[in-house]
Coordinates of all heavy atoms in Angstrom, one line a residue:
M1 N 60.0 49.7 106.9 CA 61.1 49.5 107.9 C 62.4 49.4 107.1 O 62.4 49.0 105.9 CB 60.9 48.1 108.5 CG 59.8 48.0 109.5 SD 59.7 46.4 110.3 CE 60.7 46.6 111.7
T2 N 63.4 49.8 107.8 CA 64.8 49.8 107.1 C 65.4 48.4 107.5 O 65.0 47.7 108.4 CB 65.7 50.9 107.7 OG1 65.9 50.7 109.1 CG2 65.0 52.3 107.5
H3 N 66.5 48.1 106.8 CA 67.3 46.9 107.1 C 67.7 46.9 108.6 O 67.7 45.9 109.3 CB 68.5 46.8 106.2 CG 68.1 46.2 104.9 ND1 68.5 46.8 103.7 CD2 67.4 45.1 104.5 CE1 68.0 46.0 102.7 NE2 67.4 45.0 103.2
E4 N 68.2 48.1 109.0 CA 68.7 48.3 110.4 C 67.5 48.0 111.4 O 67.7 47.2 112.4 CB 69.2 49.7 110.6 CG 69.5 50.1 112.0 CD 70.8 49.4 112.5 OE1 71.6 48.9 111.7 OE2 71.0 49.4 113.8
E5 N 66.3 48.5 111.1 CA 65.2 48.3 112.0 C 64.8 46.8 112.0 O 64.4 46.2 113.1 CB 64.0 49.1 111.6 CG 64.2 50.6 111.8 CD 63.2 51.5 111.1 OE1 62.6 51.1 110.1 OE2 63.0 52.7 111.6
I6 N 64.8 46.2 110.9 CA 64.4 44.8 110.8 C 65.4 43.9 111.6 O 65.1 43.0 112.3 CB 64.3 44.3 109.3 CG1 63.1 45.0 108.6 CG2 64.2 42.8 109.2 CD1 63.1 44.8 107.1
S7 N 66.7 44.2 111.4 CA 67.8 43.5 112.0 C 67.6 43.6 113.6 O 67.7 42.6 114.3 CB 69.1 44.0 111.6 OG 70.1 43.3 112.3
V8 N 67.4 44.8 114.0 CA 67.2 45.0 115.5 C 66.0 44.3 116.0 O 66.0 43.7 117.1 CB 67.2 46.5 115.8 CG1 66.7 46.8 117.2 CG2 68.5 47.2 115.5
A9 N 64.9 44.4 115.2 CA 63.6 43.7 115.7 C 63.8 42.2 115.7 O 63.3 41.5 116.6 CB 62.5 44.1 114.7
V10 N 64.5 41.6 114.7 CA 64.7 40.2 114.6 C 65.5 39.8 115.8 O 65.2 38.8 116.5 CB 65.4 39.7 113.3 CG1 65.9 38.3 113.4 CG2 64.4 39.9 112.1
H11 N 66.6 40.5 116.1 CA 67.4 40.2 117.3 C 66.6 40.2 118.6 O 66.8 39.3 119.4 CB 68.6 41.2 117.3 CG 69.5 40.9 118.4 ND1 70.5 39.9 118.4 CD2 69.7 41.5 119.6 CE1 71.2 39.9 119.6 NE2 70.7 40.9 120.3
A12 N 65.8 41.2 118.7 CA 65.0 41.3 119.9 C 64.0 40.2 120.0 O 63.8 39.6 121.1 CB 64.2 42.7 119.9
E13 N 63.4 39.8 118.9 CA 62.4 38.6 118.9 C 63.2 37.3 119.3 O 62.7 36.5 120.1 CB 61.8 38.4 117.5 CG 60.7 39.5 117.2 CD 59.5 39.4 118.1 OE1 59.2 38.3 118.7 OE2 58.8 40.4 118.3
Q14 N 64.3 37.1 118.7 CA 65.1 35.9 119.0 C 65.5 35.9 120.5 O 65.5 34.8 121.1 CB 66.3 35.8 118.1 CG 65.9 35.5 116.7 CD 67.0 35.4 115.7 OE1 68.0 36.2 115.9 NE2 66.9 34.6 114.7
K15 N 65.9 37.0 121.0 CA 66.3 37.1 122.4 C 65.1 36.8 123.3 O 65.2 36.0 124.3 CB 66.9 38.5 122.8 CG 67.4 38.6 124.2 CD 68.0 40.0 124.4 CE 68.5 40.1 125.8 NZ 68.7 41.4 126.3
A16 N 64.0 37.4 123.0 CA 62.8 37.1 123.8 C 62.4 35.6 123.7 O 61.9 35.0 124.7 CB 61.6 38.0 123.3
H17 N 62.5 35.0 122.6 CA 62.2 33.6 122.4 C 63.1 32.7 123.2 O 62.6 31.8 123.9 CB 62.4 33.3 120.9 CG 62.1 31.9 120.5 ND1 63.0 30.9 120.3 CD2 60.9 31.2 120.4 CE1 62.4 29.8 120.0 NE2 61.1 29.9 120.0
R18 N 64.4 33.0 123.3 CA 65.3 32.3 124.1 C 65.0 32.4 125.6 O 65.0 31.4 126.4 CB 66.8 32.7 123.9 CG 67.4 32.2 122.6 CD 68.9 32.5 122.6 NE 69.3 33.9 122.8 CZ 69.4 34.8 121.8 NH1 69.1 34.4 120.5 NH2 69.7 36.0 122.1
E19 N 64.6 33.6 126.0 CA 64.3 33.9 127.4 C 63.0 33.1 127.8 O 62.9 32.6 128.9 CB 64.2 35.4 127.7 CG 65.6 36.0 127.7 CD 65.5 37.6 127.7 OE1 64.4 38.1 127.8 OE2 66.6 38.2 127.7
A20 N 62.0 33.1 126.9 CA 60.8 32.4 127.1 C 61.0 30.9 127.2 O 60.5 30.2 128.1 CB 59.8 32.7 126.0
Q21 N 61.9 30.4 126.4 CA 62.2 29.0 126.4 C 62.8 28.6 127.8 O 62.5 27.6 128.4 CB 63.2 28.6 125.3 CG 62.5 28.4 123.9 CD 63.5 28.0 122.9 OE1 64.6 28.5 122.8 NE2 63.1 27.0 122.1
R22 N 63.8 29.4 128.2 CA 64.5 29.2 129.5 C 63.5 29.2 130.6 O 63.5 28.3 131.5 CB 65.5 30.2 129.7 CG 66.9 29.8 129.4 CD 68.0 30.7 130.0 NE 67.9 32.1 129.6 CZ 68.4 32.6 128.5 NH1 69.1 31.8 127.7 NH2 68.3 33.8 128.2
T23 N 62.6 30.2 130.7 CA 61.6 30.3 131.7 C 60.6 29.1 131.7 O 60.4 28.5 132.8 CB 60.8 31.6 131.6 OG1 61.8 32.7 131.6 CG2 59.8 31.8 132.7
L24 N 60.1 28.8 130.6 CA 59.1 27.8 130.5 C 59.7 26.4 130.8 O 59.1 25.6 131.4 CB 58.4 27.8 129.1 CG 57.5 29.0 128.8 CD1 57.2 29.1 127.3 CD2 56.3 29.0 129.7
M25 N 60.9 26.2 130.2 CA 61.5 24.9 130.4 C 62.0 24.7 131.9 O 61.9 23.6 132.4 CB 62.7 24.7 129.5 CG 62.3 24.4 128.1 SD 61.1 23.0 127.9 CE 62.0 21.6 128.5
A26 N 62.4 25.8 132.6 CA 62.8 25.7 133.9 C 61.6 25.2 134.8 O 61.8 24.3 135.7 CB 63.3 27.0 134.5
E27 N 60.4 25.8 134.5 CA 59.3 25.4 135.3 C 58.9 23.9 135.0 O 58.6 23.1 135.9 CB 58.1 26.3 134.9 CG 56.8 26.0 135.7 CD 55.7 27.0 135.3 OE1 56.1 28.2 135.0 OE2 54.6 26.6 135.4
Y28 N 58.9 23.6 133.7 CA 58.6 22.2 133.3 C 59.6 21.2 133.9 O 59.3 20.1 134.4 CB 58.6 22.1 131.8 CG 58.3 20.7 131.3 CD1 57.0 20.3 131.1 CD2 59.3 19.8 131.0 CE1 56.7 19.0 130.7 CE2 59.0 18.5 130.6 CZ 57.7 18.1 130.4 OH 57.4 16.8 130.0
D29 N 60.9 21.6 133.9 CA 62.0 20.6 134.3 C 61.9 20.3 135.8 O 62.3 19.2 136.2 CB 63.3 21.2 134.0 CG 63.7 21.0 132.5 OD1 62.9 20.3 131.8 OD2 64.7 21.6 132.1
R30 N 61.4 21.2 136.6 CA 61.2 21.0 138.0 C 60.4 19.7 138.2 O 60.8 18.8 139.0 CB 60.6 22.1 138.8 CG 61.7 23.2 139.2 CD 61.1 24.2 140.2 NE 60.1 25.1 139.5 CZ 60.5 26.2 138.8 NH1 61.8 26.5 138.7 NH2 59.6 26.9 138.3
G31 N 59.3 19.6 137.6 CA 58.4 18.4 137.7 C 59.0 17.2 136.9 O 58.9 16.1 137.4
Y32 N 59.6 17.5 135.8 CA 60.1 16.4 134.9 C 61.2 15.6 135.7 O 61.1 14.4 135.8 CB 60.7 17.1 133.7 CG 61.5 16.1 132.8 CD1 60.8 15.1 132.1 CD2 62.9 16.3 132.6 CE1 61.5 14.3 131.2 CE2 63.6 15.4 131.8 CZ 62.9 14.4 131.1 OH 63.6 13.6 130.3
Y33 N 62.2 16.3 136.2 CA 63.3 15.6 136.9 C 62.8 14.9 138.2 O 63.3 13.8 138.5 CB 64.4 16.5 137.2 CG 65.2 16.9 135.9 CD1 65.1 18.2 135.4 CD2 65.8 15.9 135.1 CE1 65.8 18.5 134.2 CE2 66.4 16.3 134.0 CZ 66.4 17.6 133.5 OH 67.0 17.9 132.3
A34 N 61.8 15.5 138.9 CA 61.3 14.8 140.1 C 60.5 13.5 139.7 O 60.7 12.5 140.3 CB 60.3 15.8 140.8
R35 N 59.8 13.6 138.6 CA 59.0 12.4 138.1 C 60.0 11.3 137.6 O 59.8 10.2 137.9 CB 58.1 12.8 137.0 CG 56.9 13.6 137.4 CD 55.8 13.8 136.4 NE 56.3 14.4 135.2 CZ 56.3 15.8 135.0 NH1 55.9 16.6 136.0 NH2 56.8 16.3 133.9
L36 N 61.1 11.7 136.9 CA 62.0 10.7 136.5 C 62.7 10.1 137.6 O 62.9 8.9 137.6 CB 63.1 11.4 135.6 CG 62.9 11.6 134.1 CD1 64.1 12.1 133.4 CD2 62.4 10.3 133.5
K37 N 63.0 10.9 138.7 CA 63.7 10.3 139.8 C 62.8 9.3 140.5 O 63.2 8.2 140.9 CB 64.1 11.4 140.8 CG 64.9 10.9 142.0 CD 65.3 12.1 142.9 CE 66.1 11.6 144.1 NZ 66.5 12.6 145.0
E38 N 61.5 9.6 140.6 CA 60.6 8.7 141.2 C 60.5 7.4 140.4 O 60.5 6.3 141.0 CB 59.1 9.3 141.2 CG 58.9 10.2 142.4 CD 57.5 10.8 142.3 OE1 56.6 10.1 141.8 OE2 57.3 11.9 142.8
L39 N 60.5 7.5 139.1 CA 60.4 6.3 138.3 C 61.7 5.4 138.4 O 61.6 4.2 138.4 CB 60.2 6.7 136.8 CG 58.8 7.3 136.6 CD1 58.7 7.9 135.2 CD2 57.7 6.2 136.7
R40 N 62.8 6.1 138.5 CA 64.1 5.4 138.7 C 64.2 4.7 140.0 O 64.8 3.6 140.1 CB 65.3 6.3 138.3 CG 65.3 6.6 136.9 CD 66.3 7.5 136.4 NE 66.3 7.5 134.9 CZ 66.8 8.5 134.2 NH1 67.3 9.5 134.7 NH2 66.7 8.4 132.9
V41 N 63.7 5.4 141.1 CA 63.7 4.7 142.4 C 62.8 3.5 142.3 O 63.1 2.4 142.9 CB 63.2 5.8 143.5 CG1 62.8 5.1 144.8 CG2 64.2 6.8 143.7
A42 N 61.6 3.6 141.7 CA 60.7 2.4 141.5 C 61.4 1.3 140.8 O 61.3 0.1 141.1 CB 59.4 2.9 140.9
C43 N 62.1 1.6 139.7 CA 62.8 0.6 138.9 C 63.9 0.0 139.8 O 64.1 -1.2 139.7 CB 63.4 1.3 137.7 SG 64.0 0.1 136.5
E44 N 64.7 0.8 140.5 CA 65.7 0.3 141.4 C 65.2 -0.7 142.4 O 65.8 -1.7 142.7 CB 66.5 1.4 142.1 CG 67.6 0.9 142.9 CD 68.4 2.1 143.5 OE1 67.8 3.2 143.7 OE2 69.6 1.9 143.8
A45 N 64.0 -0.4 142.9 CA 63.4 -1.3 143.9 C 63.1 -2.7 143.4 O 63.2 -3.7 144.1 CB 62.1 -0.6 144.4
I46 N 62.8 -2.8 142.1 CA 62.5 -4.1 141.5 C 63.7 -4.6 140.7 O 63.6 -5.8 140.2 CB 61.2 -4.1 140.7 CG1 61.3 -3.2 139.5 CG2 60.0 -3.9 141.6 CD1 60.1 -3.2 138.6
G47 N 64.7 -3.8 140.6 CA 65.9 -4.2 139.9 C 66.1 -3.6 138.5 O 65.3 -4.0 137.6
H48 N 67.1 -2.8 138.4 CA 67.4 -2.2 137.1 C 67.8 -3.4 136.1 O 68.3 -4.4 136.6 CB 68.6 -1.2 137.2 CG 68.3 0.0 137.8 ND1 67.4 0.9 137.4 CD2 68.8 0.6 139.0 CE1 67.3 2.0 138.2 NE2 68.2 1.8 139.2
K49 N 67.7 -3.1 134.9 CA 68.2 -4.1 133.8 C 69.4 -3.5 133.1 O 69.2 -2.8 132.1 CB 67.0 -4.4 132.8 CG 65.8 -4.9 133.4 CD 65.9 -6.4 133.8 CE 64.6 -6.9 134.3 NZ 64.7 -8.3 134.8
W50 N 70.5 -3.6 133.8 CA 71.7 -2.9 133.3 C 72.2 -3.6 132.0 O 72.3 -4.8 131.8 CB 72.9 -3.0 134.3 CG 72.5 -2.2 135.6 CD1 72.4 -2.8 136.8 CD2 72.3 -0.8 135.7 NE1 72.1 -1.8 137.7 CE2 72.1 -0.6 137.1 CE3 72.3 0.2 134.8 CZ2 71.8 0.7 137.5 CZ3 72.1 1.5 135.3 CH2 71.8 1.7 136.6
R51 N 72.7 -2.7 131.1 CA 73.3 -3.1 129.8 C 74.5 -2.3 129.6 O 74.5 -1.0 129.8 CB 72.3 -3.0 128.6 CG 71.2 -3.9 128.7 CD 70.4 -3.9 127.4 NE 70.0 -2.5 127.0 CZ 68.9 -2.2 126.3 NH1 68.1 -3.2 126.0 NH2 68.6 -1.0 126.0
F52 N 75.6 -2.9 129.2 CA 76.8 -2.2 128.9 C 76.6 -1.2 127.7 O 75.9 -1.6 126.7 CB 77.9 -3.2 128.5 CG 79.2 -2.5 128.0 CD1 80.1 -1.9 128.9 CD2 79.4 -2.4 126.6 CE1 81.2 -1.3 128.4 CE2 80.6 -1.8 126.2 CZ 81.5 -1.2 127.1
T53 N 77.1 0.0 127.8 CA 76.9 1.0 126.7 C 78.2 1.4 126.1 O 78.3 1.4 124.9 CB 76.1 2.2 127.2 OG1 76.9 2.9 128.2 CG2 74.7 1.9 127.6
H54 N 79.2 1.7 126.9 CA 80.5 2.1 126.3 C 81.5 2.2 127.4 O 81.2 2.1 128.6 CB 80.3 3.5 125.6 CG 80.0 4.6 126.6 ND1 78.8 4.8 127.2 CD2 80.8 5.6 127.1 CE1 78.8 5.8 128.0 NE2 80.0 6.3 128.0
L55 N 82.8 2.4 126.9 CA 83.9 2.7 127.9 C 84.1 4.2 127.9 O 84.1 4.9 126.9 CB 85.2 2.0 127.4 CG 85.2 0.5 127.4 CD1 86.5 -0.1 126.8 CD2 85.0 0.0 128.9
G56 N 84.2 4.7 129.2 CA 84.4 6.1 129.4 C 85.8 6.5 129.1 O 86.7 5.7 128.7
P57 N 86.1 7.8 129.3 CA 87.5 8.3 128.9 C 88.6 7.7 129.7 O 89.8 7.7 129.3 CB 87.4 9.8 129.2 CG 86.2 10.0 130.0 CD 85.2 8.9 129.7
L58 N 88.3 7.2 130.9 CA 89.3 6.5 131.7 C 89.2 5.0 131.6 O 89.7 4.2 132.5 CB 89.1 6.9 133.2 CG 89.2 8.5 133.4 CD1 89.0 8.8 134.9 CD2 90.6 9.0 133.0
N59 N 88.5 4.5 130.6 CA 88.3 3.1 130.3 C 87.4 2.4 131.3 O 87.5 1.2 131.4 CB 89.7 2.4 130.2 CG 89.8 1.6 128.9 OD1 89.1 1.8 127.9 ND2 90.6 0.5 129.0
D60 N 86.6 3.1 132.0 CA 85.7 2.5 132.9 C 84.4 2.2 132.1 O 83.9 2.9 131.3 CB 85.3 3.5 134.0 CG 86.5 3.8 134.9 OD1 87.2 2.9 135.3 OD2 86.7 5.0 135.2
P61 N 83.8 1.0 132.4 CA 82.6 0.6 131.7 C 81.4 1.3 132.2 O 81.1 1.4 133.4 CB 82.5 -0.9 132.0 CG 83.2 -1.1 133.3 CD 84.3 -0.1 133.3
W62 N 80.6 1.8 131.3 CA 79.3 2.5 131.6 C 78.2 1.6 131.2 O 78.2 0.9 130.2 CB 79.2 3.8 130.8 CG 80.0 4.9 131.4 CD1 81.4 5.1 131.3 CD2 79.5 6.0 132.2 NE1 81.7 6.2 132.0 CE2 80.6 6.8 132.6 CE3 78.2 6.4 132.7 CZ2 80.5 7.9 133.4 CZ3 78.1 7.5 133.5 CH2 79.2 8.2 133.8
F63 N 77.1 1.7 132.0 CA 75.9 0.9 131.8 C 74.7 1.8 131.8 O 74.7 2.8 132.5 CB 75.8 -0.2 132.9 CG 77.0 -1.1 133.0 CD1 78.1 -0.8 133.7 CD2 76.9 -2.3 132.3 CE1 79.2 -1.7 133.7 CE2 78.0 -3.2 132.3 CZ 79.1 -2.9 133.0
A64 N 73.6 1.4 131.1 CA 72.4 2.1 131.2 C 71.3 1.0 131.5 O 71.3 -0.1 130.9 CB 72.1 2.8 129.9
C65 N 70.3 1.4 132.2 CA 69.2 0.5 132.5 C 68.3 0.6 131.2 O 67.9 1.7 130.8 CB 68.4 1.0 133.7 SG 66.9 0.0 134.0
G66 N 67.9 -0.6 130.7 CA 67.1 -0.6 129.5 C 65.6 -0.3 129.8 O 64.9 -0.1 128.8
I67 N 65.3 -0.2 131.0 CA 63.9 0.2 131.4 C 63.7 1.6 131.7 O 62.9 2.3 131.0 CB 63.4 -0.7 132.6 CG1 63.7 -2.2 132.4 CG2 62.0 -0.4 132.9 CD1 63.0 -2.8 131.2
C68 N 64.5 2.2 132.6 CA 64.3 3.6 133.1 C 65.4 4.5 132.6 O 65.3 5.7 132.8 CB 64.2 3.6 134.6 SG 65.8 3.3 135.4
R69 N 66.4 4.0 131.9 CA 67.5 4.8 131.3 C 68.4 5.4 132.3 O 69.2 6.3 132.0 CB 66.9 6.0 130.4 CG 65.9 5.5 129.4 CD 66.5 4.7 128.3 NE 65.6 4.5 127.2 CZ 65.0 3.3 126.9 NH1 65.2 2.3 127.7 NH2 64.2 3.2 125.9
A70 N 68.4 4.9 133.6 CA 69.4 5.3 134.5 C 70.8 4.9 134.0 O 70.9 3.9 133.2 CB 69.1 4.7 135.9
T71 N 71.8 5.6 134.4 CA 73.2 5.2 134.0 C 74.0 5.0 135.2 O 73.8 5.5 136.3 CB 73.8 6.3 133.1 OG1 73.8 7.5 133.8 CG2 73.0 6.4 131.8
K72 N 75.1 4.2 135.1 CA 76.1 4.1 136.1 C 77.4 3.7 135.5 O 77.5 3.2 134.3 CB 75.7 2.9 137.1 CG 75.7 1.5 136.5 CD 75.5 0.5 137.6 CE 75.7 -0.9 137.1 NZ 75.6 -2.0 138.1
V73 N 78.5 4.0 136.2 CA 79.8 3.6 135.8 C 80.4 2.7 136.9 O 80.1 2.9 138.1 CB 80.7 4.8 135.6 CG1 80.8 5.7 136.8 CG2 82.1 4.4 135.1
E74 N 81.1 1.6 136.5 CA 81.7 0.8 137.4 C 83.2 1.0 137.4 O 83.9 0.7 136.5 CB 81.4 -0.7 137.1 CG 80.0 -1.0 137.4 CD 79.7 -2.5 137.3 OE1 80.6 -3.3 136.9 OE2 78.5 -2.9 137.5
I75 N 83.6 1.7 138.5 CA 85.1 2.1 138.6 C 85.8 0.9 139.3 O 85.4 0.4 140.3 CB 85.2 3.4 139.4 CG1 84.5 4.5 138.6 CG2 86.7 3.7 139.7 CD1 84.4 5.8 139.4
D76 N 86.9 0.6 138.7 CA 87.7 -0.5 139.2 C 88.4 0.0 140.5 O 89.3 0.8 140.5 CB 88.8 -0.9 138.2 CG 89.7 -2.1 138.6 OD1 89.5 -2.5 139.8 OD2 90.5 -2.5 137.8
S77 N 87.9 -0.6 141.6 CA 88.4 -0.1 142.9 C 89.9 -0.5 143.2 O 90.5 0.0 144.1 CB 87.5 -0.6 144.1 OG 87.5 -2.0 144.1
E78 N 90.4 -1.5 142.4 CA 91.7 -1.9 142.7 C 92.7 -1.1 141.8 O 93.9 -1.4 141.8 CB 91.8 -3.4 142.4 CG 91.0 -4.2 143.4 CD 91.0 -5.7 143.0 OE1 91.7 -6.1 142.1 OE2 90.3 -6.5 143.7
G79 N 92.3 -0.2 141.1 CA 93.1 0.6 140.3 C 93.4 0.0 138.9 O 93.2 -1.2 138.7
K80 N 93.9 0.8 138.1 CA 94.2 0.4 136.7 C 95.7 0.0 136.6 O 96.5 0.5 137.3 CB 94.0 1.5 135.7 CG 92.5 1.9 135.7 CD 91.7 0.9 134.9 CE 90.3 1.4 134.8 NZ 89.4 1.0 135.8
P81 N 96.0 -1.0 135.7 CA 97.4 -1.3 135.5 C 98.2 -0.2 134.9 O 97.6 0.7 134.3 CB 97.3 -2.5 134.5 CG 96.0 -2.4 133.9 CD 95.1 -1.7 134.9
Ligands
ZN1 ZN1 66.0 1.0 135.8

């Protein structure tokens, strides 16, 4: 094989690898996100365990549930000073 042929073949292999990853992960993710949603609904039913994580870009406090990893932001409804 020449350098040109190897380069073209490597590029084709990497492209096929990326496409396979996209296809396989898309199929997996359909079930994954549905299962996560079910678990988060179950956690919400018995009460999330919210913990402050950080301030967002607009200085709003963000929280994550320590059990199911759901996140939420609490926006100050009275506006910022
Ligand atoms: Zn939770």
Side-chain angles (χ1 to χ4, degrees):
M1 292 182 90
T2 65
H3 280 129
E4 172 73 16
E5 290 166 337
I6 292 169
S7 177
V8 168
V10 167
H11 182 76
E13 286 295 337
Q14 290 176 327
K15 185 177 179 201
H17 184 254
R18 285 192 303 272
E19 288 169 1
Q21 281 182 316
R22 262 196 301 275
T23 301
L24 293 168
M25 286 308 296
E27 184 177 330
Y28 180 86
D29 281 353
R30 273 192 289 278
Y32 172 68
Y33 289 114
R35 291 190 298 275
L36 275 188
K37 187 175 178 182
E38 280 180 27
L39 292 168
R40 288 178 173 156
V41 167
C43 190
E44 183 174 25
I46 60 175
H48 290 298
K49 303 286 188 185
W50 295 117
R51 292 191 306 213
F52 172 80
T53 58
H54 66 285
L55 292 174
L58 302 177
N59 229 26
D60 297 315
W62 281 77
F63 299 85
C65 175
I67 307 300
C68 72
R69 310 290 190 254
T71 58
K72 71 171 183 175
V73 59
E74 289 189 356
I75 296 171
D76 183 356
S77 61
E78 295 176 7
K80 298 283 185 272

